[in-house]
Amino acid sequence: FKERLQVRDLRGNVFWKITATGLELSFDDLVADNEHVETVSRAVIIIPDADDSPFIDMSVNFKNGQARFAPLYLPRGIMGKETVNWLDKAFVQGSVPAGKMIFHGRSADFPFTDKPGTFLVDFDVKDMQLDYGKSWPQLQEVDASVRFSDNSLVVNIHQGNVMQVTLQPSLLKIDSLGKQSVLDMDLSYT
C-alpha cells in the first residue's frame, strides 16, 4: 500500500488457533470503515511455522468509496514505477457505489501470473474524472466498471465525455501491470 490505512470504525470477531502447522486466523463480517470507503470482510489466514508464505483466503465487500483514494489501496509491489505513477494521478474524482476484492492463495505467489491463486478487485465508478496522460484531455462524467484481475486492469466505460464529445461504450486496459505496462485504449464516441 502507498501508506498506512486509517480506520475510524472496526467491529467484529477475530478467531485464532494454533495448529500443527502454524497459526490460523479467521473472521466473518469484520466491518472496517474510514473516510474513503466502508468494508465488510471475511477471511482465513494460515501463517505456517516454517519459513513459508502465509495462505490467505479473503473476500472484502466495499461501498460508498471515493475514486480519488483508490491509489491508497493498490498492490503497488507488483507494478512498475511508471504504472504506479499513472494510477496515482489517473482517478481524479468519482464515487464507488460498491465493489468486491478477492484474494486466494499464498502471499509470496502474488500476483499469480505463473502460480496458482486469484486476485480480483471489481467495482463500478460513477461520475468519474480520469486523467490518462499529459497533453491528453481528461475523461469526464464517466460511468464505468473497473476490474483488476491478477496483474491486469480493464476499465469498461459505459458513458462519459472527452472534450465535450459523448463517449459510447469504450475500453481501457493494461494486460500486465508489470514493469513494462502498456495502456490500450479503444474509445468510441458520437
Side-chain angles (χ1 to χ4, degrees), residues 74-91:
L74 298 176
R76 304 171 83 74
I78 67 165
M79 297 183 280
K81 183 178 178 181
E82 291 179 10
T83 303
V84 169
N85 289 339
W86 180 77
L87 288 167
D88 278 348
K89 298 171 191 159
F91 301 104

Side-chain angles (χ1 to χ4, degrees), residues 35 66-72 88 91-94:
E35 65 184 81
Q66 298 178 45
R68 67 187 171 108
F69 293 111
L72 296 176
D88 278 348
F91 301 104
V92 177
Q93 72 178 32

Side-chain angles (χ1 to χ4, degrees), residues 128-143:
M128 181 177 68
Q129 184 175 339
L130 183 71
D131 184 0
Y132 54 80
K134 289 181 183 178
S135 304
W136 287 82
Q138 290 184 340
L139 293 174
Q140 298 182 336
E141 300 174 346
V142 173
D143 290 351

Side-chain angles (χ1 to χ4, degrees), residues 4-21:
R4 283 188 214 172
L5 300 177
Q6 302 291 320
V7 176
R8 73 170 171 229
D9 185 23
L10 181 63
R11 294 185 314 267
N13 296 312
V14 177
F15 303 96
W16 63 276
K17 64 181 175 181
I18 304 290
T19 68
T21 58

Side-chain angles (χ1 to χ4, degrees), residues 89-157:
K89 298 171 191 159
F91 301 104
V92 177
Q93 72 178 32
S95 65
V96 179
K100 66 181 174 191
M101 187 279 299
I102 296 171
F103 188 106
H104 181 86
R106 293 178 58 242
S107 61
D109 296 340
F110 180 72
F112 311 119
T113 54
D114 58 354
K115 304 274 185 175
T118 301
F119 174 69
L120 176 71
V121 181
D122 198 3
F123 60 95
D124 291 331
V125 293
K126 301 288 183 196
D127 197 27
M128 181 177 68
Q129 184 175 339
L130 183 71
D131 184 0
Y132 54 80
K134 289 181 183 178
S135 304
W136 287 82
Q138 290 184 340
L139 293 174
Q140 298 182 336
E141 300 174 346
V142 173
D143 290 351
S145 299
V146 179
R147 174 175 277 215
F148 289 88
S149 180
D150 296 330
N151 76 331
S152 68
L153 167 65
V154 175
V155 180
N156 283 298
I157 298 173

Side-chain angles (χ1 to χ4, degrees), residues 13-19 22-28 30 42-48 54-58:
N13 296 312
V14 177
F15 303 96
W16 63 276
K17 64 181 175 181
I18 304 290
T19 68
L23 174 66
E24 182 177 309
L25 301 169
S26 64
F27 51 85
D28 283 316
L30 184 68
R42 74 112 221 112
V44 174
I45 303 167
I46 300 170
I47 303 169
F55 181 85
I56 302 169
D57 180 16
M58 177 184 290

